[in-house]
Amino acid sequence: MPRYARGFDLDLAAAHLSRRDRKLGRWIERIGPLPQAGWRKPFDTVDVLARAILYQQLSGKAAATIVGRVEQASGSRRLTPSAIDALDDERLRACGVSGNKARALRDLAARAGQGEVPTQKELAFLHHDEIIERLTAVRGIGRWTVEMLLMFRLGRPDLLPVDDLGVRKGAQLLDRLEEMPRPKELAARGERWGPYRTLAGLYLWRICDAVQADATEAAQAKPKPKVKRSQD
């Protein structure tokens, strides 16, 4: 059984992408090297997924407040199955957790207890397609959530989240399209970026940021029209 490495050589990947795609290469040169992701940090799969559930459809500040309340109520900084099981529905509701999210947390804890949620060590021996299949079986966990775990926690090199709006917008800007490409179109477009589609996706996000920053700078630099005062 092969063991999949956590992370990959970003310089090697950037050089590969620049050779395979000149348009993307120009953006890579403009944006520059990306910082090394936190691929070496240990994590607990259940904790990561539980926090993802709690953060869904909320602003970062509101979600962080609810997570803090859950941590305090459970007496644990990690949202483990035992920490989740320690809180009944009433206490979860008092923390601001909706009924749907509470049911998702229950399902996550139950599946973890049955050995259906791979640990960090077990994930190292699973192909990313199998990880997606197994973790999306958990209530409330979608493909995008698992893709983010694969990219930012495990450092898998060849993931392109084609449903992500930021990635699709970046691809639109890259190719100067009138509309964002559909997920299937983006998947086909991304074939040339393999086996480093993860880094391509990271740069597509950065392209969005760069274009937005340019637009903001241009708007601020634009001289304001002078207001003529009426003379009585």
Side-chain angles (χ1 to χ4, degrees), residues 70-81:
V70 172
E71 289 176 343
Q72 185 175 10
S74 66
S76 175
R77 295 287 294 176
R78 287 172 53 205
L79 303 182
T80 61

Side-chain angles (χ1 to χ4, degrees), residues 30-53:
R30 173 183 169 182
I31 293 170
L34 299 185
Q36 184 76 28
W39 294 324
R40 300 302 177 192
K41 295 180 180 179
F43 67 91
D44 181 285
T45 310
V46 174
D47 180 70
V48 170
L49 297 180
R51 292 172 189 275
I53 290 169

Side-chain angles (χ1 to χ4, degrees), residues 126-134 143 150 156 159:
L126 299 177
H127 186 271
H128 63 256
D129 286 336
E130 185 175 356
I131 293 174
I132 291 171
E133 181 180 357
R134 291 178 64 172
R143 182 183 180 91
L150 287 162
R156 295 294 176 92
L159 265 293

Side-chain angles (χ1 to χ4, degrees), residues 167-181:
V167 170
R168 291 173 61 200
K169 183 64 178 178
Q172 178 188 1
L173 295 169
L174 172 68
D175 291 332
R176 299 183 178 181
L177 304 174
E178 292 185 3
E179 298 179 347
M180 290 190 296

Side-chain angles (χ1 to χ4, degrees), residues 98-168:
S98 69
N100 282 336
K101 290 183 179 181
R103 287 187 284 274
L105 291 175
R106 298 274 180 243
D107 185 59
L108 172 61
R111 290 178 181 273
Q114 296 167 5
E116 297 178 15
V117 179
T119 65
Q120 176 188 323
K121 290 183 179 180
E122 291 169 341
L123 291 172
F125 295 95
L126 299 177
H127 186 271
H128 63 256
D129 286 336
E130 185 175 356
I131 293 174
I132 291 171
E133 181 180 357
R134 291 178 64 172
L135 295 187
T136 54
V138 177
R139 179 177 182 142
I141 298 297
R143 182 183 180 91
W144 182 89
T145 296
V146 184
E147 288 173 336
M148 296 304 103
L149 182 148
L150 287 162
M151 292 173 69
F152 293 104
R153 297 280 185 171
L154 295 176
R156 295 294 176 92
D158 205 24
L159 265 293
L160 184 65
V162 297
D163 295 306
D164 184 274
L165 290 178
V167 170
R168 291 173 61 200

Side-chain angles (χ1 to χ4, degrees), residues 56-103:
Q56 288 172 0
Q57 300 178 329
L58 293 175
S59 68
K61 185 177 180 180
T65 298
I66 291 175
V67 169
R69 290 173 183 165
V70 172
E71 289 176 343
Q72 185 175 10
S74 66
S76 175
R77 295 287 294 176
R78 287 172 53 205
L79 303 182
T80 61
S82 58
I84 294 170
D85 290 338
L87 302 175
D88 58 22
D89 290 348
E90 184 176 348
R91 294 181 71 187
L92 283 173
R93 189 163 49 249
C95 293
V97 179
S98 69
N100 282 336
K101 290 183 179 181
R103 287 187 284 274

